[in-house]
Each structure stands twice: as C-alpha cells, then as structure tokens.
Amino acid sequence: MTKSPQLPAVDRAAARRVAAELARRRSALLDRLERFVRLESPSTDKPALDRFSRLLAAECRRAGAKVERFPQKHAGDHILARFAAPARGRPILILGHYDTVYPLGALERMPFRVRGGRVSGPGTLDMKSGLAIALTAVESLAAARVPLAAPVLCLLTSDEEIGSHHSRKLIERFARQARAVLVLEPAAGIEGKLKTARKGTGEMELTVLGKSAHAGLNPEEGVNAIHELALQIERIRAFADPASGATVSAGVIEGGTRTNVIPERARAVFDLRVTRVEDAAKVEARFAALRPILPGAKLEIHGGFSRPPMERTPAVAQLFHHAESLGHLLGLSLEKTAVGGASDGNFTAALGIPTLDGLGGVGAGAHSPTEYVQVRSLTERAALLALLLATIPESLSTITPPSWYAATPRPSLEFILTPPQRHVATCPPPPSLNGR
C-alpha cells in the first residue's frame, strides 16, 4: 500500500481561497494572454521584442512588482520583476521567456482564437500562457490573503528559442541566489506532466577539406571531401549510446559544386544530446579525436554543448514531491517525466539549484500552426504555481524525500562550457601520380 504524500505547510482553506480567486480571474487571465499573443515577439526581431518587453513590464507592475530592465544591443531587453514578501531569506526564482519561433505576420495565418476549450495562436503554449499564468498566480495570492513564502524574482528573457546566449549569465546569476527555480515552459503532453529531467544539447560542425580535380580526366589527383565526410559520418554514428541516452544525429550536410568536379569541401552539422554531464565531455572528446581517413584530407571540427543536462537529482526530486503534495490539495494528480529537449532550467539545475520545469500551460503543437493551450489548464497551473510560491521552504531538505527516489546525494555539478573547439587533423598527401 502506497503511503500518501506528506502535506506541505499550507492549509486546505488557503488552497481553496486561492483556487476560488483564480476561478474569478479566469477571464482576466485569458484577456492577459490575448494581449500577449496579439503582440508578436520573434526571437530575432529586436524592435518587436522591445515592444513586447514594454507591455510585459507594464503587466508585471500591474501585478505588484518592481521592474528592472537589462538592455541588450542584439536581443530584446530582459525583464526582472521583484515581488516582495513578508518573509526574508533566499528568493524563489521564476524563469520564463517571451520570444517565440514565429516571424512577424504569423498572427494573420494563425490568429488568436478561443474555441472548444482551447486557446490557439502563435506562442500560446510556448510560452505566453506561462507568462500569463505566473502574473495571475501572484495576483491571486495577494487577493486571497495568502503570503509568499519568500521574495519572488521573475526573470523573463528574450532569447531562449535561439540559445539564451545573451541571457545565460543573468539566469545563472539569479539562480545562485535562489532557494528553488520554477520554469514556465509548457507541461509535457496533454497529461500535464512536470519535467524533472532534460537532455543537455549542443552542436558540432565537421568540415572536410579535400582537393578539387576533374572527375573524368584526373580524379586520382583529387581528394574527395564528400567521400571523406561520408566515412566520418559512419564513424560518428558510433558516438551515440542508446543505453545512456546519448544521441548524435547528422542534421545538415552539404558539399560539392558540380558532378564533374571532385569536391574540395564538404560539411555536416550534428545535433548532440546527453542525459548526464559526464557524457557531454565524452562526446566532445571523441569528436576532437577524429582523424582523416583518406590520404590528403583535412578535418576542421568546432562546436560543443551549449546547455548542460538537467538531471533528476535528489533536490529536483524533492521539489517535484512538494508540487505533487500541493496537487493533492487542488485535486490534481501530477506526474513527472524526462524529455529530450532543453530549456533555461538546464542551466539552473546544473548549478545544483532545485529546479522544476513544465509549470506552464498544458496543450500541444508547440512551434507549429496547430499550437494551442487548454483553457482549463490555465487556472489549474496558476493555482499550483501560486501554492508553490506560498510554501517552498528555505531548505528543501525539510521536505520528506519521495520513496521512489533512491539515489544517494552527490555534490552539485556545474557545467563549464569550454570555448568552441577548432581542431585540424591532417593525413600525409598521396604520392605523386603521373597517370591521367
């Protein structure tokens, strides 16, 4: 017989008040989401991003926050909203992004629409619903007279969809101050699963330099870069390790100019994913050890992992268990899962900070014309987030660890990204050939 989870330090009456307050705010939450979706914010359009950031800053102030902007030259400005609390101590960090994968004009092809229990439109699921959920959750706590457990920092960035190159330092800076990090990415699947593990991601580019020659008159004097690349790709396939979850996939390949010319250059770009920090170093080392196979060929290799894996550490497991207990108060049955994609939560979890991801909306079709979020999930997720903000203790060790997590604690790991590698490997050229 499974033992019921230990209830966190919030009474059922407070949970009911928060849920009732959010039910009253459902229309306001939908209106906020509509404002967010109707103002498009493509990752690579700084003017559009800055327009959205001004709207977002106004909405944060409306929710009771003090707002700080972090101006960016080549990206949208990042927003930090600070919500005060009667309690002192390390803050809780809410992490979100407001950029989307859709270009300007996508709203004309996929307009904002509420129909059949779904809200559709560009960015509704990933992750403008998460932004609306977070602000409405904080407002509902104040209205229900339920205090925050700690000051809340809400960091909303503009470049998550393109790698977080401009925001990573900020993310890690504020994460190091926090007792826990709550990530507003969409839930996993229509079941609404929370994400407690994510793969680390990266890219590696392999360029082969050969020697051009006429394919009919003197092919033996050339070095075929495409042939070399094909041989290397077959070798690289063995870098994947299904047992550990490490994958290496060739996603881009190009080379050559004409069929009657021995190609002097070919290139491939590989997607890299691992579940463990130590596996990232192994994959990078195997790429660095590559050597040419065909005489006269040269290899240029650069790239590496840009996001560390989010591992399901004991601290992450404890935070999920805490959320699971709160879900019982709200009548929700929460499940956990591991996913192959990465988020900014990868950075914070790798620092050893308890991180829980997938607290945003529930839906499907992210990054596609069919993207939608379930209307019902908006207030449910807002209620869950609100109770987390009201209950996360200073030290997660005060929460009873779940019985299903048997791993022993280990020191927190910080993923250190080395500069992009550039490695040139050569093989002796072939002997001079006089034949034609």
Side-chain angles (χ1 to χ4, degrees), residues 381-403:
R381 304 304 267 201
L384 176 62
L385 181 61
L387 294 189
L388 281 166
L389 297 175
T391 61
I392 292 178
E394 176 73 25
S395 172
L396 284 169
S397 63
T398 62
I399 302 174
T400 304
S403 59

Side-chain angles (χ1 to χ4, degrees), residues 41-49 74-76 99-103 158-159 162:
S41 51
S43 299
T44 56
D45 191 321
K46 179 169 173 56
L49 289 167
H74 301 295
D99 62 318
T100 75
V101 300
Y102 301 96
S158 67
D159 63 343
I162 54 174

Side-chain angles (χ1 to χ4, degrees), residues 73-98:
K73 185 176 181 180
H74 301 295
D77 294 349
H78 306 312
I79 300 294
L80 179 69
R82 297 177 184 269
F83 295 93
R88 295 180 179 271
R90 289 181 298 160
I92 299 167
L93 176 62
I94 298 176
L95 199 53
H97 66 88
Y98 65 85

Side-chain angles (χ1 to χ4, degrees), residues 279-290:
D279 292 334
K282 291 178 183 177
V283 171
E284 288 183 340
R286 295 192 74 176
F287 269 95
L290 287 173

